[in-house]
Amino acid sequence: MNITERQFEIITAAGKILTRSGIHGLTIKNLAKEMKFSESAVYRHFSSKEEIIVGMLNYLAENMEQRFKVAANENNSPEDNFKALFESQLSFFNQYPHFSVAVFSDGQFEESKKINQSIAKIMQVKMKYLMPVVLQGQKEGDFTQSVTTEDLIHVVMGSIRLLMYKWRSSNFEFDIIRYGKNMIETNLTLIKNK
């Protein structure tokens, strides 16, 4: 999905409304008001609220794919790549906190198959890059082999998800980079071979 500058402005404004007012506050009318232009101008770029959210999630998936390609370096150790992937995410969400609202929606969009497919696409990108890193760490004896690769990833992703939920619930009041790096180190302590 190639996104125009105006579409990025729209999904950014939509994310800010989601952050402030939730899914019910995100209307084309409120979005047009936020952006200070007409509803028809929004409709020229997106046909519906659902399409805006799908656009936001698809943008995030593509952005993540690009960032992860750079972050995961085959010359790095599994531990360094593990840190790099999560630090890339933390940095992105720190810069664009409103994207976390759409990604960590906790069932707000369950009625939309398209939105759920876009969220699944984000998960696929995460797994595409994280699975080989953890698997390599296990093969090299750096990470525990007493738990399956998939289960290790679920534990790690769950802890990061909880941290992001707490950050969002606090209205982004704490330093997500600092707390996130602590969480990454905690996860590494748990998954490393003793």
Side-chain angles (χ1 to χ4, degrees):
M1 172 188 178
N2 288 332
I3 193 163
T4 67
E5 189 175 321
R6 179 63 77 191
Q7 286 174 319
F8 184 75
E9 289 173 12
I10 292 170
I11 64 175
T12 298
K16 290 175 182 175
I17 293 171
L18 279 172
T19 302
R20 274 194 321 264
S21 308
I23 188 68
H24 300 294
L26 178 59
T27 64
I28 300 298
K29 182 178 183 173
N30 288 344
L31 186 55
K33 185 178 176 183
E34 173 89 11
M35 298 192 69
K36 297 177 177 51
F37 58 68
S38 69
E39 291 178 44
S40 62
V42 174
Y43 282 117
R44 278 196 290 274
H45 299 280
F46 293 101
S47 64
S48 65
K49 173 170 81 170
E50 178 186 50
E51 191 176 299
I52 292 167
I53 295 168
V54 167
M56 180 186 298
L57 295 168
N58 287 342
Y59 170 82
L60 179 58
E62 289 175 17
N63 178 278
M64 187 185 313
E65 176 87 33
Q66 292 168 5
R67 285 184 289 107
F68 281 8
K69 276 182 190 175
V70 173
N73 184 326
E74 63 185 40
N75 297 321
N76 288 345
S77 70
E79 183 176 337
D80 287 342
N81 278 333
F82 183 90
K83 288 179 185 178
L85 292 174
F86 283 106
E87 287 172 2
S88 171
Q89 280 298 84
L90 292 169
S91 179
F92 178 84
F93 284 129
N94 189 53
Q95 185 174 1
Y96 303 105
H98 50 275
F99 277 96
S100 69
V101 176
V103 176
F104 302 104
S105 59
D106 295 326
Q108 290 182 31
F109 308 123
E110 284 178 1
E111 71 281 355
S112 171
K113 185 176 180 180
K114 288 180 182 178
I115 292 173
N116 286 327
Q117 287 171 337
S118 295
I119 291 172
K121 190 171 159 183
I122 290 170
M123 293 303 298
Q124 288 169 351
V125 172
K126 287 179 184 175
M127 293 299 279
K128 175 182 173 181
Y129 288 91
L130 191 56
M131 181 72 80
V133 168
V134 174
L135 191 57
Q136 180 187 1
Q138 288 179 307
K139 284 182 181 175
E140 292 178 7
D142 296 335
F143 299 160
T144 183
Q145 295 176 7
S146 61
V147 179
T148 67
T149 307
E150 191 171 353
D151 285 344
L152 277 179
I153 290 172
H154 288 160
V155 169
V156 169
M157 300 277 285
S159 68
I160 298 295
R161 184 178 180 83
L162 178 60
L163 178 65
M164 296 301 292
Y165 178 78
K166 288 169 74 174
W167 184 52
R168 191 183 85 214
S169 296
S170 75
N171 201 27
F172 314 108
E173 290 294 320
F174 62 84
D175 182 351
I176 192 62
I177 300 289
R178 185 168 64 86
Y179 280 82
K181 285 184 178 184
N182 287 342
M183 181 61 71
I184 293 166
E185 290 300 329
T186 299
N187 277 301
L188 282 168
T189 300
L190 293 172
I191 70 172
K192 277 186 194 176
N193 251 339
K194 307 295 185 253

